[in-house]
């Protein structure tokens, strides 16, 4: 069941990214939904599930949106998932400020890692734009908070139904 | 493995995952076709998800496009009527010039320009981030698309095919930081290399500081890169300043990459090489009647 949920989450993120790319290709410069999924799994589930989801989601992102090196998104998302998953197992990040911080940190580290990996492979990179970095990090942070809020609400409804059913 | 604590198990898993992906990346850098099997598999597995998104996106674009079209149709109609009158005059003039050109070409025994065979393709999805400028289209190897084929749209050059599956192809746009195309200034015939900058503008490099380049000059493909045919529009000079022995030139692309919906993939760009000394009559040999 957990595996199916992970697959659904990755598929939903890919579907929304593809839709956003169809409607407004520039939007994907500010939006990385795979990171939101990674953040959710790192905080709510485990470091291992976050790494596996990051790896699968990154590879699927590469298959559709990467023209240069296949595997680069998978690599960076696995790595950031490991770091955030490790932090989440030691610190309590399951509250609104913690979730937003995780989203922001994930996004910033993902962007720097991307440029670093490109340079490591001797590929050309565009100069990093501070406005773009900050706005993308802010969007990711807010999205992480929204996704958690939705899932919390859904979870509380399910548990209420369970209590009523037992009563 | 069971004797290890969870943190060590995760560290081992991380190392294994990163190692596999490093191998993938290394294979990709060394040889463009190195990891296409996995890439193709990932693309095929996730195809239904993207197909649903595409259908939804098509509906959304249709509704918003319809409303926008209604509001702008009247204004455009008046503008287009004026444009038709003006273009009719120009067309007559160009027709005359074309006949004259044809006559002169025949006189100079030049080869007739053969229009390249092309395939129309619709954009499935696209990304325009800092480091990635990619468009995915709904035509692939089963339609005759192959890597390194040039792609154009209404207005000019778009990019080149970098990956082709049976039903999809990925196109690296001219604005991608790893994109490059040989071009020349249409007016002064000054050659250079046009590189993507990851933003909206393109950069023309390898142009000497004394080169004759002015603002508003049109840059077209020179054809020497062996990918694009000669004369396809790339962009218009927006800024040009001498810096040492070279000149920094920024171009505004002729194609609006954020609004691409359909493109043309040129599957044949060049005529087969022909020796100028060779006679026009077919060579004698196999298949010829005795």
């Amino acid at each position: 069941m957990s595996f199916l949920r992970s697959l659904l989450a990755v598929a939903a993120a890919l579907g929304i990214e593809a839709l956003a790319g169809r409607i407004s290709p520039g939007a994907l410069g500010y939006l990385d939904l795979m990171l939101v999924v990674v953040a959710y799994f790192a905080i709510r589930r485990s470091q291992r599930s976050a790494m596996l989801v990051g790896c699968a989601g990154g590879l699927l992102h590469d298959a559709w949106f990467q023209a240069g090196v296949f595997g680069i998104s998978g690599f960076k998302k696995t790595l950031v998932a490991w770091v955030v998953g490790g932090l989440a197992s030691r610190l309590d990040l399951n509250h609104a400020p913690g979730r937003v911080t995780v989203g922001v940190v994930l996004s910033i580290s993902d962007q720097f890692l991307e440029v670093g990996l490109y340079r490591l492979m001797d590929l050309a990179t565009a100069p990093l734009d501070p406005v773009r970095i900050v706005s993308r990090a802010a969007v990711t942070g807010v999205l992480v908070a929204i996704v958690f809020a939705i899932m919390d609400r859904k979870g509380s409804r399910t548990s209420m139904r369970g209590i009523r059913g037992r009563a | 493995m069971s004797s290890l604590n969870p943190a060590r198990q995760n560290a081992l898993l991380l190392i294994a995952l990163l190692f596999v992906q490093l191998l993938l990346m290394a294979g990709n850098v060394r040889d463009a076709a190195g990891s296409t099997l996995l890439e193709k598999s990932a693309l095929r597995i996730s195809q239904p998800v993207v197909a649903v998104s595409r259908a939804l996106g098509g509906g959304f674009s249709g509704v918003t496009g319809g409303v926008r079209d209604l509001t702008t149709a009247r204004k455009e109609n008046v503008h287009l009527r004026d444009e038709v009158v003006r273009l009719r005059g120009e067309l007559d003039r160009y027709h005359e010039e074309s006949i004259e050109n044809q006559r002169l070409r025949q006189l100079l025994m030049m080869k007739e320009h053969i229009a390249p065979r092309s395939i129309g393709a619709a954009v499935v999805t696209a990304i325009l981030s800092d480091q990635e400028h990619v468009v995915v289209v709904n035509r692939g190897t089963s339609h005759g698309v192959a890597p390194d084929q040039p792609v154009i749209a209404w207005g000019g050059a778009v990019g080149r095919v970098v990956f082709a599956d049976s039903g999809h192809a990925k196109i690296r746009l001219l604005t991608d930081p790893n994109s490059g195309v040989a071009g020349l200034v249409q007016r002064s015939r000054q050659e250079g290399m046009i590189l993507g900058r990851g933003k909206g503008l393109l950069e023309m490099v390898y142009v000497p500081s004394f080169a004759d380049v002015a603002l508003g000059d049109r840059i077209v493909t020179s054809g020497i890169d062996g990918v694009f045919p000669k004369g396809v529009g790339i962009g218009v000079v927006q800024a040009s300043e001498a810096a040492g022995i070279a000149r920094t030139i920024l171009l505004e692309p002729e194609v609006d990459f954020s609004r691409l919906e359909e493109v043309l993939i040129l599957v044949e760009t060049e005529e087969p090489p022909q020796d100028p000394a060779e006679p026009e009559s077919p060579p004698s040999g196999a298949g010829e009647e005795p």
Side-chain angles (χ1 to χ4, degrees), chain A residues 15 48 64 66 70 74 124, chain B residues 9-10 21 28 46 53 170 178:
Chain A
R48 190 180 302 174
W64 285 96
Q66 178 65 252
F70 179 69
Chain B
Q9 283 181 17
N10 288 346
Q21 286 171 103
N28 228 216
S46 54
S53 298
K170 277 193 271 186
N178 286 292

Side-chain angles (χ1 to χ4, degrees), chain B residues 143-187:
Chain B
H143 307 94
V145 179
D148 276 339
Q149 284 172 342
V151 183
I152 61 168
W154 183 251
V158 168
R160 75 165 79 177
V161 177
V162 287
F163 172 86
D165 184 20
S166 59
H168 292 91
K170 277 193 271 186
I171 297 159
R172 180 184 281 151
L173 301 178
L174 292 185
T175 44
D176 189 284
N178 286 292
S179 173
V181 57
L184 56 84
V185 182
Q186 200 173 37
R187 181 180 55 83

Side-chain angles (χ1 to χ4, degrees), chain B residues 9-266:
Chain B
Q9 283 181 17
N10 288 346
L12 281 176
L13 180 66
L14 173 78
I15 292 166
L17 288 175
L18 293 186
F19 181 71
V20 170
Q21 286 171 103
L22 260 179
L23 285 181
L24 277 176
M25 287 192 276
N28 228 216
V29 170
R30 187 170 44 82
D31 173 20
S35 59
T36 50
L37 190 66
L38 188 65
E39 199 172 356
K40 280 178 184 171
S41 310
L43 206 73
R44 270 182 208 157
I45 290 165
S46 54
Q47 215 163 306
V49 176
V50 177
V52 171
S53 298
R54 196 181 162 220
L56 287 172
F60 183 83
S61 304
V63 171
T64 53
V67 173
R68 198 176 53 227
D69 288 351
L70 273 174
T71 53
T72 54
R74 191 183 164 82
K75 208 189 293 175
E76 268 186 10
N77 193 22
V78 176
H79 174 71
L80 287 173
R81 276 172 194 272
D82 294 343
E83 196 77 357
V84 165
V85 174
R86 190 180 64 79
L87 288 174
R88 260 190 204 143
E90 266 188 41
L91 188 67
D92 289 342
R93 193 162 56 82
Y94 284 136
H95 186 64
E96 285 303 312
E97 282 177 4
S98 169
I99 293 167
E100 188 187 350
N101 188 13
Q102 228 169 15
R103 208 172 50 240
L104 289 170
R105 282 168 80 99
Q106 278 168 359
L107 200 67
L108 292 166
M109 296 177 72
M110 287 172 76
K111 282 180 188 173
E112 281 291 313
H113 176 71
I114 295 173
R117 198 166 73 82
S118 58
I119 297 170
V123 172
V124 173
T125 186
I127 180 168
L128 297 178
S129 68
D130 275 353
Q131 314 300 339
E132 295 155 11
H133 285 231
V134 180
V135 159
V136 182
V137 293
N138 65 346
R139 291 285 181 268
T141 48
S142 58
H143 307 94
V145 179
D148 276 339
Q149 284 172 342
V151 183
I152 61 168
W154 183 251
V158 168
R160 75 165 79 177
V161 177
V162 287
F163 172 86
D165 184 20
S166 59
H168 292 91
K170 277 193 271 186
I171 297 159
R172 180 184 281 151
L173 301 178
L174 292 185
T175 44
D176 189 284
N178 286 292
S179 173
V181 57
L184 56 84
V185 182
Q186 200 173 37
R187 181 180 55 83
S188 62
R189 317 309 286 174
Q190 175 63 52
E191 291 192 356
M193 188 67 140
I194 288 91
L195 305 175
R197 287 162 52 95
K199 311 274 177 196
L201 296 179
L202 301 167
E203 187 175 6
M204 190 173 184
V205 295
Y206 307 130
V207 179
S209 59
F210 53 80
D212 179 13
V213 184
L215 295 186
D217 271 348
R218 189 166 181 250
I219 311 296
V220 296
T221 53
S222 65
I224 59 167
D225 54 14
V227 176
F228 278 94
K230 197 173 179 177
V232 181
I234 297 175
V236 176
V237 176
Q238 288 291 304
S240 166
E241 57 180 66
I245 55 165
R247 183 171 278 275
T248 309
I249 299 167
L250 295 180
L251 317 175
E252 191 180 345
E254 294 204 356
V255 175
D256 184 357
F257 295 110
S258 63
R259 289 171 187 267
L260 274 180
E261 285 186 24
E262 285 93 23
V263 293
L264 275 181
I265 303 169
L266 305 183

Side-chain angles (χ1 to χ4, degrees), chain A residues 88-136:
Chain A
S89 63
R90 285 167 182 80
L91 308 166
D92 179 22
L93 298 171
N94 201 4
H95 45 79
R99 294 164 186 170
V100 174
T101 311
V102 165
V104 169
V105 171
L106 269 176
S107 174
I108 292 174
S109 45
D110 182 82
Q111 291 176 73
F112 278 98
L113 254 176
E114 183 176 34
V115 173
L117 285 169
Y118 268 107
R119 291 198 180 155
L120 199 70
M121 281 176 276
D122 210 16
L123 293 168
T125 53
L128 283 168
D129 179 5
V131 178
R132 172 88 72 137
I133 293 172
V134 171
S135 44
R136 190 174 166 159

Side-chain angles (χ1 to χ4, degrees), chain A residues 32-125:
Chain A
D32 193 338
L33 287 172
M34 291 298 175
L35 282 182
V36 178
V37 179
V38 167
Y40 183 82
F41 276 81
I43 295 173
R44 277 286 164 82
R45 300 286 164 82
S46 63
Q47 191 181 27
R48 190 180 302 174
S49 60
M51 281 194 295
L52 290 171
V53 161
C55 177
L59 288 177
L60 283 178
H61 179 93
D62 281 340
W64 285 96
F65 300 110
Q66 178 65 252
V69 186
F70 179 69
I72 204 162
S73 293
F75 187 93
K76 61 184 184 166
K77 283 185 175 59
T78 311
L79 198 58
V80 293
W82 180 72
V83 173
V84 173
L87 284 175
S89 63
R90 285 167 182 80
L91 308 166
D92 179 22
L93 298 171
N94 201 4
H95 45 79
R99 294 164 186 170
V100 174
T101 311
V102 165
V104 169
V105 171
L106 269 176
S107 174
I108 292 174
S109 45
D110 182 82
Q111 291 176 73
F112 278 98
L113 254 176
E114 183 176 34
V115 173
L117 285 169
Y118 268 107
R119 291 198 180 155
L120 199 70
M121 281 176 276
D122 210 16
L123 293 168
T125 53

